[in-house]
Amino acid sequence: MEELIFQIKKFLPIYLEEENQEYIDYLTGASLANMESKHFQFAFIAFHMLFMSYLYKKLFLLHKHGKITLKDNYNTIFDISKMKESDVFNNIHHFHSNKIDEFKNTVKIRNHCAHSSGFIQYQQEDVEYWIKKEIDHVNKIQYKAYDNYLVNEFKNFLKNEENYDPNRLESLYFEKIERFILENLISVKDLEFFLKNPKLNELSRNSNTEKIIYIKLLYLAIIAVYEKYVLDQYYCEPDIEEGLFIKNLPILMNGFVNPEDDDFNLEDIFKDQFSTYLEPMDVEHIIKIEKITDFDLSDFK
């Protein structure tokens, strides 16, 4: 049951402002605690609020990127909560009205749990069924209503010199990526979608210019952030195979030609930018990276 609750968190933003993150953690904890204490209807209420938080995020981003037009201005995803629940569902595009009605049905179940009916209507198996139903709804909404705006945001981020050129950075790649993830409300599922379908021509080109090399380094840093976050935060299996960083590392060395810049040293840049990722890594993986790159990473063993 715990795994089901963490599944929906993979669709919610990885990073939120502190107050909003506390709220999501509160709902997660409430759902888990009520499951453990066998207060299953209360567990569903908290889970349903996580489900609605996902819908708020979806509508907020669709509105932000001009895919739908909402009447009011919304500054955060939780401002959408001021909207009537029926309007929230009705604004989910790409679906037949019958399917929208199916999505809405879990609101009735939530109401059954929240209103004082005088009896306990749902037991564990019932609540598990409806939680799985909401996760199924989220999966359908995530991928059928998926727009190119997020892929374009990733591509624009990777191609922005202010993000990829270490000489212009005031921080490491990882801090830039975390800020990008926060500002764009990116979830683990969003990261997985992009990493499976990057559609970035620079990744298949030879590493023979600083620009191409830097873009590849930044892309690898996104993979590193994904791996670190999933391994640190989630108890369920990631949807992308483990070792994605090492699997993709050869693209960096593909056709590598050292740029005509006396100050350019790929090994030093790599060790500097990826030090926090490499430090906790086991020796076996460090050796694999050395074999692929021919870098001396003895400091990380």
Side-chain angles (χ1 to χ4, degrees):
M1 195 62 210
E2 181 179 288
E3 182 179 338
L4 293 174
I5 293 169
F6 280 101
Q7 275 187 37
I8 198 166
K9 282 197 71 178
K10 293 177 75 175
F11 291 90
L12 295 171
I14 293 173
Y15 303 120
L16 287 165
E17 298 297 345
E18 184 177 358
E19 183 179 44
N20 295 154
Q21 189 59 57
E22 286 178 0
Y23 178 72
I24 293 297
D25 292 342
Y26 178 82
L27 293 179
T28 303
S31 193
L32 289 169
N34 279 292
M35 275 292 178
E36 186 175 347
S37 63
K38 302 187 185 306
H39 297 129
F40 300 114
Q41 293 190 174
F42 291 144
F44 180 73
I45 291 172
F47 185 89
H48 178 78
M49 294 170 79
L50 290 171
F51 171 65
M52 294 304 299
S53 297
Y54 167 77
L55 295 183
Y56 298 159
K57 172 206 163 182
K58 195 69 183 176
L59 261 61
F60 180 83
L61 289 175
L62 289 172
H63 176 66
K64 176 183 176 181
H65 292 279
K67 302 300 179 181
I68 61 173
T69 302
L70 302 177
K71 293 180 180 179
D72 298 319
N73 291 322
Y74 300 98
N75 297 316
T76 74
I77 62 174
F78 293 105
D79 288 345
I80 305 287
S81 65
K82 295 181 287 187
M83 188 186 296
K84 291 181 180 179
E85 277 188 316
S86 59
D87 290 339
V88 171
F89 287 95
N90 290 335
N91 274 291
I92 300 170
H93 64 173
H94 296 317
F95 289 97
H96 190 279
S97 59
N98 291 355
K99 184 59 70 174
I100 297 294
D101 288 341
E102 183 182 333
F103 296 157
K104 289 180 184 178
N105 192 44
T106 56
V107 176
K108 295 179 182 178
I109 307 304
R110 188 277 316 275
N111 290 342
H112 291 167
C113 295
H115 297 164
S116 298
S117 61
F119 63 96
I120 299 170
Q121 185 164 348
Y122 300 110
Q123 300 299 326
Q124 180 173 358
E125 59 272 19
D126 304 310
V127 167
E128 287 186 3
Y129 171 83
W130 288 111
I131 284 178
K132 288 177 181 177
K133 201 71 176 171
E134 289 199 324
I135 290 174
D136 181 58
H137 294 341
V138 167
N139 271 292
K140 289 175 180 174
I141 293 167
Q142 174 80 357
Y143 296 112
K144 184 157 186 179
Y146 204 95
D147 292 279
N148 288 329
Y149 67 80
L150 188 55
V151 173
N152 291 334
E153 289 288 340
F154 272 110
K155 291 168 75 171
N156 292 336
F157 174 77
L158 285 164
K159 292 182 178 183
N160 187 336
E161 187 175 354
E162 293 184 0
N163 296 328
Y164 67 64
D165 186 350
N167 298 315
R168 301 182 63 173
L169 295 178
E170 297 178 358
S171 59
L172 297 177
Y173 283 152
F174 294 97
E175 294 176 40
K176 273 281 186 181
I177 293 166
E178 287 171 0
R179 172 53 55 180
F180 170 75
I181 288 172
L182 172 64
E183 291 174 350
N184 290 277
L185 302 172
I186 290 169
S187 69
V188 168
K189 286 291 186 179
D190 294 329
L191 272 177
E192 290 175 345
F193 183 89
F194 172 71
L195 293 176
K196 287 178 180 178
N197 309 275
K199 297 180 180 178
L200 195 66
N201 293 332
E202 285 81 357
L203 299 180
S204 60
R205 294 175 183 166
N206 288 337
S207 299
N208 54 13
T209 68
E210 287 189 21
K211 178 180 178 180
I212 297 294
I213 292 169
Y214 287 149
I215 288 175
K216 289 181 178 182
L217 283 168
L218 188 56
Y219 174 73
L220 289 168
I222 292 176
I223 295 176
V225 168
Y226 163 79
E227 287 188 338
K228 185 176 187 302
Y229 185 77
V230 170
L231 292 175
D232 284 354
Q233 301 292 329
Y234 286 91
Y235 301 102
C236 48
E237 291 296 320
D239 287 351
I240 292 181
E241 70 275 14
E242 291 186 21
L244 189 66
F245 180 85
I246 291 177
K247 181 180 178 181
N248 279 270
L249 190 55
I251 68 171
L252 178 63
M253 309 312 297
N254 181 38
F256 173 67
V257 176
N258 203 63
E260 296 179 0
D261 183 343
D262 294 337
D263 296 327
F264 186 92
N265 186 303
L266 180 56
E267 181 175 331
D268 288 345
I269 295 170
F270 182 84
K271 288 193 285 190
D272 181 50
Q273 289 293 330
F274 291 88
S275 59
T276 57
Y277 178 68
L278 297 171
E279 283 167 359
M281 192 175 285
D282 59 59
V283 174
E284 179 185 353
H285 287 92
I286 294 293
I287 292 173
K288 287 182 180 179
I289 294 173
E290 284 183 321
K291 288 181 178 179
I292 294 170
T293 61
D294 203 29
F295 296 158
D296 177 9
L297 302 179
S298 54
D299 290 344
F300 299 99
K301 293 179 182 177

